[in-house]
Amino acid sequence: MTRWYEGPLAAFDTETTGVDVEGDRIVSAALVVQDMAGARPRVTRWLIDPGVPVPPAATEIHGLTDDFLHRNGRWPAPAVEEMARALAEQCAAGRPLVVMNAPFDLTLLDRELRRHRASSLGRHLENVPLCVLDPRVLDKHLDRYRKGRRTLTDLCAQYGVELEGAHDAAADALASLELVRAVGRRFASRMERLSAAELHALQAVWHAAQARGLQAWFSRNGTEESVDPAWPLRPEVPAAAA
């Protein structure tokens, strides 16, 4: 029987105007599908004119300027609808969905759907079995005492995964997919008896524990930042609290 980390996977990634899932916008995204380890990946890309200025700090990271997006990007509404449908199709096909730091990308997509389509990601996924694999959550649980940062670039270096063109959505999605395979292989003795669906459920518990630990660290250091324990999708913020 093929282990989940050698079998079919799909990976999703976005590039954005910033890091606030409630207010920032998607400027590019990619879905990478691979039928088995080593197979040629199939890539779908989206480029979006977000309708708001792209801050210079964001452009410095991903290289996408207002002018370039105005000339080449699509209107957000149909693009985010296509993204949601594409993710639902992967879930319906039984492919685990790899998303690095899933609460960011999936929540941002959800907010874009609410903003532009009066819809939600949950509505698109309500009739399919959602199964997400988040390399950041997996690594933090399986190698919790290792010091250092756990960005995609750091994790790729840690696991020997090639990352060419970081902060390009397709490059980051492919690297995340290969990273999940590498994590599975390194910790095969702890992972091989678990299905991807079982790991999805476990990651929600692991992420909540990781969030509590980070929140406690912030409190000890006098930082007021709040850490959301929800995974892989944060609940909608009530309008009165936004």
Side-chain angles (χ1 to χ4, degrees), residues 16-17 53-66 69:
T16 68
T17 60
V54 180
T59 296
E60 188 174 344
I61 291 172
H62 51 57
L64 299 173
T65 64
D66 287 329
L69 294 170

Side-chain angles (χ1 to χ4, degrees), residues 25 37-38 41 53 62 73 89 99 105 141 157 164 182-183 191 205 209 213 233 235:
R25 311 297 175 89
H62 51 57
E89 287 172 3
V99 190
D105 292 80
H141 177 78
E164 289 187 0
V183 172
M191 305 278 270
V205 177
L233 179 66

